Amino acid sequence: MDKNIVIIPTYNEKENAEAIIKAVFSLPERFEILVIDDGSPDGTAAIVKRLQTEHSERLHLLERSGKLGLGTAYLTGFDWALKRGYDYIFEMDADFSHNPADLIELYRACRDGGADVSIGSRYKTGVNVVNWPIGRVIMSYYASVYVRLVTRMPIKDATAGFICYSSRVLRAMRLDRIRMKGYGFQIEMKYTAWRLGFRLEEVPIIFTDRKAGNSKMSSGIFGEAFWGVLKLPFRIYKYRA
């Protein structure tokens, strides 16, 4: 049986933490969870610790001091998971914008469909986004268009953060040389996997904006991604393990 781990970064997610953990554990496929909490002052980590008493073998927690960025959280999680021999490593938000049930489709796209990386795509079959302001939808959609134009990577949702990686993909990368820390991190990871010759497959999902808690999006995140994408075609030699 494959060992699957879902990495969920958190910062002030007390409204969602317990519900998202229970939703993942209710799925018919077995997934473990690694929560990486960046010192949430609202007590998110305490909620996870309480749930660990019920799910000691499946629920794991890493606590970091302060907001260190989405990319560094995932890189920390990748290192943790690879050292413990997980086969498939997932990225997922804590706020239910990603439907936990779709983890199964991402998993099967890799396990049965031959993908090395499967991407929960908002834009493969149109624009499948619910409850976002139209301005944010346009910005997100055309960010992926921009990435395709600059990098030639044939992915319609380059900034997607709902992903399944086969462990062999992450082992093939120089993860210590991934530079972008915000949502540009998602682009850089996909681009690196693609340039290293791995097969990426987009799985259509419906993305629903959070109902509880606050978004962590900022203009600085988009600025980093815009300028970072221009540099990607010149950095690929640095990524090979």
Side-chain angles (χ1 to χ4, degrees), residues 3-34:
K3 289 183 66 178
N4 304 321
I5 188 84
V6 182
I7 301 173
I8 304 179
T10 57
Y11 183 77
N12 285 350
E13 292 289 356
K14 68 177 182 180
E15 296 97 336
N16 297 305
E18 182 168 357
I20 197 74
I21 289 167
K22 289 184 174 179
V24 172
F25 288 163
S26 72
L27 297 173
E29 296 282 1
R30 180 180 171 86
F31 297 92
E32 295 181 33
I33 294 175
L34 172 62

Side-chain angles (χ1 to χ4, degrees), residues 64-222:
R64 307 195 303 172
S65 56
K67 294 182 69 175
L68 302 177
L70 182 74
T72 65
Y74 279 126
L75 291 172
T76 297
F78 294 158
D79 181 67
W80 186 96
L82 291 174
K83 287 177 178 176
R84 288 160 178 79
Y86 288 91
D87 300 294
Y88 294 100
I89 301 166
F90 298 75
E91 298 181 6
M92 190 176 75
D93 290 348
D95 60 8
F96 285 94
S97 55
H98 303 142
N99 184 346
D102 289 332
L103 286 167
I104 294 174
E105 297 305 316
L106 295 180
Y107 174 45
R108 291 175 179 172
C110 289
R111 184 193 65 185
D112 305 326
D116 300 302
V117 181
S118 58
I119 302 162
S121 178
R122 298 163 291 185
Y123 306 127
K124 182 177 181 179
T125 57
V127 178
N128 295 315
V129 176
V130 177
N131 293 337
W132 258 9
I134 187 62
R136 189 166 176 185
V137 173
I138 291 171
M139 183 180 295
S140 172
Y141 179 84
Y142 282 103
S144 288
V145 172
Y146 167 70
V147 172
R148 289 200 302 276
L149 288 173
V150 173
T151 67
R152 305 300 179 185
M153 180 173 61
I155 297 297
K156 291 188 176 180
D157 193 354
T159 63
F162 194 21
I163 303 169
C164 172
Y165 289 99
S166 167
S167 61
R168 63 180 173 272
V169 176
L170 300 179
R171 293 187 189 281
M173 293 183 185
R174 286 294 305 270
L175 293 172
D176 59 318
R177 295 184 177 179
I178 298 293
R179 289 291 172 261
M180 288 191 267
K181 300 299 188 290
Y183 283 85
F185 166 83
Q186 304 292 7
I187 301 168
E188 189 172 4
M189 287 292 297
K190 295 180 188 69
Y191 180 75
T192 303
W194 176 64
R195 285 295 302 270
L196 291 177
F198 290 105
R199 178 183 164 190
L200 280 62
E201 179 177 335
E202 292 185 90
V203 176
I205 65 164
I206 296 175
F207 179 96
T208 304
D209 195 20
R210 66 164 60 236
K211 295 180 180 178
N214 297 313
S215 172
K216 314 304 187 296
M217 185 63 64
S218 71
S219 59
I221 287 173
F222 278 103

